[in-house]
Amino acid sequence: MDTIKGKPGLINVFLESGRDYSGSSAVIIGAPMDFTVSFRAGSRFGPNAIREMSWVLENYSPYMDRDLSNMNIFDYGDLELAFGNPERSLSIIKNAAAEVFNDGKFPVFLGGEHLISLPVIEAAFEKYGGDLVLLHFDAHADLREDYAGESLSHATVIRQCSRFIKPENIYQFGIRSGTGDEFTWGRENTNFYPFEIVEPLKKVLPEIKNKPVYITLDIDVVDPAFAPGTGTPEPGGCSAADMLKAVHLLADCDVKGFDLVEVMPDSDPAGITGALAAKIVREGLLSFVK
Amino acid sequence: MDTIKGKPGLINVFLESGRDYSGSSAVIIGAPMDFTVSFRAGSRFGPNAIREMSWVLENYSPYMDRDLSNMNIFDYGDLELAFGNPERSLSIIKNAAAEVFNDGKFPVFLGGEHLISLPVIEAAFEKYGGDLVLLHFDAHADLREDYAGESLSHATVIRQCSRFIKPENIYQFGIRSGTGDEFTWGRENTNFYPFEIVEPLKKVLPEIKNKPVYITLDIDVVDPAFAPGTGTPEPGGCSAADMLKAVHLLADCDVKGFDLVEVMPDSDPAGITGALAAKIVREGLLSFVK
Amino acid sequence: MDTIKGKPGLINVFLESGRDYSGSSAVIIGAPMDFTVSFRAGSRFGPNAIREMSWVLENYSPYMDRDLSNMNIFDYGDLELAFGNPERSLSIIKNAAAEVFNDGKFPVFLGGEHLISLPVIEAAFEKYGGDLVLLHFDAHADLREDYAGESLSHATVIRQCSRFIKPENIYQFGIRSGTGDEFTWGRENTNFYPFEIVEPLKKVLPEIKNKPVYITLDIDVVDPAFAPGTGTPEPGGCSAADMLKAVHLLADCDVKGFDLVEVMPDSDPAGITGALAAKIVREGLLSFVK
Amino acid sequence: MDTIKGKPGLINVFLESGRDYSGSSAVIIGAPMDFTVSFRAGSRFGPNAIREMSWVLENYSPYMDRDLSNMNIFDYGDLELAFGNPERSLSIIKNAAAEVFNDGKFPVFLGGEHLISLPVIEAAFEKYGGDLVLLHFDAHADLREDYAGESLSHATVIRQCSRFIKPENIYQFGIRSGTGDEFTWGRENTNFYPFEIVEPLKKVLPEIKNKPVYITLDIDVVDPAFAPGTGTPEPGGCSAADMLKAVHLLADCDVKGFDLVEVMPDSDPAGITGALAAKIVREGLLSFVK
Amino acid sequence: MDTIKGKPGLINVFLESGRDYSGSSAVIIGAPMDFTVSFRAGSRFGPNAIREMSWVLENYSPYMDRDLSNMNIFDYGDLELAFGNPERSLSIIKNAAAEVFNDGKFPVFLGGEHLISLPVIEAAFEKYGGDLVLLHFDAHADLREDYAGESLSHATVIRQCSRFIKPENIYQFGIRSGTGDEFTWGRENTNFYPFEIVEPLKKVLPEIKNKPVYITLDIDVVDPAFAPGTGTPEPGGCSAADMLKAVHLLADCDVKGFDLVEVMPDSDPAGITGALAAKIVREGLLSFVK
Amino acid sequence: MDTIKGKPGLINVFLESGRDYSGSSAVIIGAPMDFTVSFRAGSRFGPNAIREMSWVLENYSPYMDRDLSNMNIFDYGDLELAFGNPERSLSIIKNAAAEVFNDGKFPVFLGGEHLISLPVIEAAFEKYGGDLVLLHFDAHADLREDYAGESLSHATVIRQCSRFIKPENIYQFGIRSGTGDEFTWGRENTNFYPFEIVEPLKKVLPEIKNKPVYITLDIDVVDPAFAPGTGTPEPGGCSAADMLKAVHLLADCDVKGFDLVEVMPDSDPAGITGALAAKIVREGLLSFVK
């Protein structure tokens, strides 16, 4: 019979993730940072909300006909960050990301605000080099030089990435909010596909197929109807089904890691944003981790 | 002038339902059971939430150009079940269902968890015999042999039905969650249409048109954006408009009764799930009760 | 350096609206009335919710490639109405609307319940005369003669308008709820397009293009998934993206003013209804104010 | 065995109230009116919330050692009022109250806003004459001549009563909000006990004991911690236990009826305001109905 | 520097609990069962809510001047129970409790509904024998023979205990709800102290001081103002400060274990019930584990 | 008659505050900063919540028999701070505070997190010099040297103040949470009164009466039952009535300014925390501004 000492109890991890790093092929890490957001904070509780809502899902994906039970996923829990100190927090995240990439594992970072993606992308770039393709799904362009005088901000993250990733290797999908300057800069520099995600993704798939790819996904790319629990909801986005379709389209690419950010559970009593995020993570793991 | 003793006050019944069983052609019965659910309980408050939200609707359906005021609906209220005792509760539900079927009336059962459908379908089968067609709209296959060791569970209900209804008379629509085993079994045994509801329904309409039909509808077949108030929200479903279209497609069939389950009001402060459920019930009554 | 006395602090106005009436081309006015509603009250807090949620948006519209910063918008705040006295409240609203029309400015009234549109439309009619076209986006026909004995009601407002605007100048879109009488009357008298908004709007655009147009928009025309914060949610509506598309289609018309009503923030913890309303207002201002 | 036709189902009535007016000694009537409130509306849902939350209680009171099962209570449901028309609504309420008083039954009116008490008190006065004592428990003095120009308002109700009940027969407890004029008028005219309820009540008990008494109780007399679900929460009130104690103190008086108003369920997700109101109603019935 | 593989991430455990059973002196176990409740379910999420809210607290108690950092606490996580099967679930809980008692550790069980206490108390009784004193803090007597025909129910748990613990060793505090029969039985058999907790506890302390004590604490003993997140809120209870005082009074007793049940987070958006529960657990650990 | 251009509309300011700085005697300023909090963020919306809830109050205080209408209050709105940059934000706050103090006006700062008090207290100290007495009402000691490595934190603010205000001029009331080190340091250095507020305040009144006083009030000093809307609720605090009494006790002191921090509206749907805060601000203005 099961005993307390012989069998771990239920704790809040992503689906059936284990707690063994060494044998794992993929690693889930929460980055509970929400210090630079301009409207509502609260995405620091995003990772745990995604874990909790993952329990409404099955391990099996009928879309991929694959099962998480056959994979070895390690859920680290959340990083211990420095409240109110973005620089120090980003450094902690970067170390964690570098460690996972260097150990040849597939990382999934759960935000937190979008700024947490910056150090992860830096680490990916350092590992996979100048060919690294960045796919950015978001309602917001995140292409500002600075925001309210701060260059490290959830609103500058892709512009920051463009300082080391060639803009022509950056693809942006679903963007429907930004300043005029951001839209101009995006249209002139990145592969900039506003409003839509599925059709432009189909179009660009051939050109990214043989390159290393990193995906950063802000849940607000989806319409607030499907993802109300986020800090800056922007009406007019795609459906949950479209978002899942985009993930499946990417199954043939050489994805090296991804992050999913800006889930903010407090304003979503039914938890449907966390459930959608968890489903994207499950489909992403089953699609990208070979 | 109206008087207190001469005229009943407003109580929480479905739209303009009356309180007279004998002259009624359709009977609404709440089955407030939520004991076996695996994630969130709370669907025991579903029937009253559907009744309350029915008041935002009109009696008239512009889709059907028919009016509930011209029908005689009896709203029984909720059954008094046995907290924590599924077997005894199911027996109470079955008696109620058998009584309604035997009196030649059209029953609408409001859940409660999906397990409440089992005794109603049993009663329908006993009344209408081996030709009875079961239409199942759901995000989940509900085809498990058992769940956490229990054979009576919200996750086993259609498999249980397959023990008396021939699997080839079972049609499943919109399924997008289950174990690998459930999907395999469904694909091999029932008429199994995952992900979509409207197109497959159109396809199968000819073959079910002349048979007695029972419909069991788990509100989570609809995407959580349209029905957030449910126990196990599964992103990637159909829209509310699609669900209504499916009901209208079935208007020409010989529907003998239906149930609508898993509405859980507590996590849906706007009550949009209850409103959708109430609208489905109204359209169902106007479509199916001749 | 900025000083307290030298620079106004942040207050809750619509995006970057100023506080100077005289130089403004458009005027935003809240009409916080919700006394005659039949289900949930609370739309009196709608105007402030729309203002608050406008801060998640940018001034720039990538749809129109125009920027609110280049316009001069005055946000008046809310009118001080008479609690529980519809007649007196409507009179206050009418005076305000007449003043704005007479000063040659473009008004945007934020409800509040739909009845607040009546005096604004009266004032528009008095200013722009018998050719005035009324576009009505709503889930509900609002064509009753009276409601529970009251002729001044949120459910009678378009019928009231038909007493001075010729019914053939009234266009109704997206209607999916009403009594049988309302649907009959609408079909026989107004340009009545139930269920859909984008396709019928495209169809009628040619015939309204050279006439003065007033738009009244009940947020519940959108499906409750996209706009849960409203008093009488009616499932089966259009998407947020469709609603924005309709606004953009109207950019070539000679729109003289509009109102947006029935935003009720209390049941929408994420504020997505207010965000959608704010986006419609921004797109409307950028589309209609030349 | 129980059958559907032989036994009524569970519907939302107050505890074990029956549906038979003629044999009842006490009558519960909901007055779902909230048209004149100055801040949040929503108390129209108060009566049903009190009924629903009454189910967390037992029929038995350990305070009184009496049991509701031994009484014959009729729960009428809610009156059908005229949305947005206070005058007509008050007239409907008055007719109902007069009927109950004239039939020698004990009425309990559930608000709704405080204005609903006015016609009930008028009816009580017409039945029980000039000696009628009015006990008023409230955070607000409700002594204005008019409110925003309206003499019929939730803020004028006790002043209105003072036009027919002698002010020296009016006792006000727990008042902690009002204009300076209201406090001056109250101190000069009524028996005015601000801030506290239990001690002043003990003091005045001897002088009211042999007179007919009507009680009007605004739930906001209790501190918002114990009754958050109300339209105008006023911090600094008494505890729930104090309020129950006040009811028990009144058990020896000749109470002819009472009302409990301003329960607004929407902002109280745990329903503790409804539970407190239901408990007050139960204790009141057991204390006052002989 | 910290590394992912070298240091565990933050997961949702009670304060600074470790994950090592063998060296621990106290063991926290969640029992997420809510199948037999009569009103609202949802206490299955209680243990995780208590863990999450424990993070608002410090390890140090200024009341006890002791610090959890100096203790070795093991947080097992939650037991995996059988949904909808009370018997099997209770058996799993009993095995876990017996193991902890037999290993000489101090158990803290977190509910879940009150029925989970029964197997823990059975295990305590089997370990500590006939002198075991049971202290019961609750709004409800829980002394029914059966509830809706079920003998295993949250409403029968103390009566069940009285079949093996001598009623004179059972002390009940704060009881303010039950049937007349329960109150009669309690007054005749147990040490029954309705309404109050601190004063009666002071009175009985001398007689229990030298006996082994088990404490079962239903959070609803506290007034719903202080603990709104519970299934059956009963107004008129003690304050949070009183409850903490009661725990401190018991510091000199020989407490062998305790449970805290009926925390239901979903209806308490601020989480104050979980915070109170967590503080009671912290004070309990610091007071009872020597 | 009122006109749009002749009369300002209703905007969200504190009660009847005006918009004229120069003639004002008191100035209300929002400091919407919540970047360094350790648990839930969201107090950036505190100032607007306090303003909104102030509208449930009257201008008249029956406690003080004074009326805000007779004072000249300027509500500045909120300061525009630097998201995610505490240093720069604090500098903006300090400039604003210095300006108000130097203009001889009485400032009321509304948080925001507790760290916003630091620059205001610095400015007060620079104005009023070494005799300045600091009164601190809080559940938390806020006496850490640093928090997670940051010296500028909501948890260090009073310790930071002790670097310029003599600890013997610092009085702390109601403290019931902190590390052992904080409690030791507080007991040894400041006037440290844990757990209680009213009695210790009475005791120290004589010694502070003739000194300039600044008050910093964290709303969480009040029990979470009365103030659930705060970031780190700590059960076991005082009541709302006690807090108001403390303000009234201070009416005879020479108070130079105060702040009220940590109101977080999102988790308090009834807004009772904002209402309490608004009432404290009203009573404070009426008590302190001569």
Side-chain angles (χ1 to χ4, degrees), chain F residues 30-50:
Chain F
M33 168 176 168
D34 58 7
F35 321 142
T36 80
V37 299
S38 53
F39 194 66
R40 283 198 197 114
S43 60
R44 71 178 65 182
F45 297 104
N48 268 341
I50 296 170

Side-chain angles (χ1 to χ4, degrees), chain B residues 73-270:
Chain B
I73 317 285
F74 169 71
D75 184 346
Y76 172 73
D78 285 0
L79 291 166
E80 195 163 354
L81 304 178
F83 303 122
N85 189 326
E87 288 80 3
R88 203 147 65 84
S89 298
L90 296 187
S91 159
I92 294 168
I93 297 168
K94 180 148 181 207
N95 285 337
E99 184 178 354
V100 175
F101 279 123
N102 287 334
D103 288 343
K105 299 175 191 298
F106 184 97
V108 179
F109 277 81
L110 305 177
E113 59 167 292
H114 211 158
L115 188 51
I116 71 115
S117 306
L118 179 57
V120 185
I121 298 170
E122 287 172 344
F125 183 78
E126 288 170 13
K127 172 77 178 180
Y128 294 106
D131 277 348
L132 186 72
V133 163
L134 177 63
L135 303 186
H136 174 223
F137 295 88
D138 201 332
H140 305 87
D142 290 357
L143 290 173
R144 296 181 190 229
E145 293 265 8
D146 66 89
Y147 191 68
E150 303 298 314
S151 62
L152 285 181
S153 158
H154 72 299
T156 64
V157 62
I158 301 304
R159 187 66 171 270
Q160 291 283 342
C161 290
S162 77
R163 306 206 193 288
F164 55 92
I165 297 188
K166 286 170 288 190
E168 61 263 35
N169 276 355
I170 298 177
Y171 293 77
Q172 299 186 272
F173 304 97
I175 313 299
R176 58 189 184 278
S177 178
T179 62
D181 284 350
E182 285 180 278
F183 271 75
T184 301
W185 195 90
R187 288 197 161 100
E188 288 175 359
N189 292 279
T190 74
N191 302 281
F192 192 79
Y193 297 97
F195 309 120
E196 302 291 328
I197 66 165
V198 172
E199 289 314 309
L201 185 57
K202 281 182 186 164
K203 206 187 111 194
V204 307
L205 271 180
E207 54 188 277
I208 63 175
K209 229 166 209 170
N210 297 317
K211 297 180 186 164
V213 168
Y214 184 88
I215 301 168
T216 183
L217 195 161
D218 186 323
I219 197 69
D220 67 20
V221 71
V222 180
D223 193 276
F226 301 86
T230 194
T232 47
E234 179 75 30
C238 69
S239 70
D242 282 345
M243 190 65 242
L244 293 169
K245 201 176 300 172
V247 173
H248 297 141
L249 282 173
L250 290 162
D252 291 338
C253 293
D254 183 21
V255 181
K256 299 300 191 187
F258 73 94
D259 61 69
L260 195 164
V261 298
E262 300 285 2
V263 171
M264 198 188 78
D266 276 355
S267 55
D268 174 13

Side-chain angles (χ1 to χ4, degrees), chain C residues 134 136 141-143 156-162 170 172 216:
Chain C
L134 177 63
H136 174 222
D142 290 357
L143 290 173
T156 64
V157 62
I158 301 303
R159 187 66 171 269
Q160 291 283 343
C161 290
S162 78
I170 298 177
Q172 299 186 271
T216 183

Side-chain angles (χ1 to χ4, degrees), chain D residues 155-203:
Chain D
T156 64
V157 61
I158 301 303
R159 187 65 172 270
Q160 291 284 341
C161 290
S162 77
R163 306 205 192 289
F164 54 92
I165 296 188
K166 285 170 289 190
E168 62 263 34
N169 276 354
I170 298 177
Y171 293 77
Q172 299 187 271
F173 303 97
I175 313 300
R176 58 190 184 277
S177 178
T179 62
D181 285 350
E182 285 179 278
F183 272 75
T184 301
W185 196 92
R187 288 196 161 101
E188 289 176 357
N189 292 278
T190 73
N191 302 280
F192 193 77
Y193 297 96
F195 309 121
E196 302 290 329
I197 65 166
V198 173
E199 289 313 310
L201 186 57
K202 281 182 187 165
K203 204 187 112 196

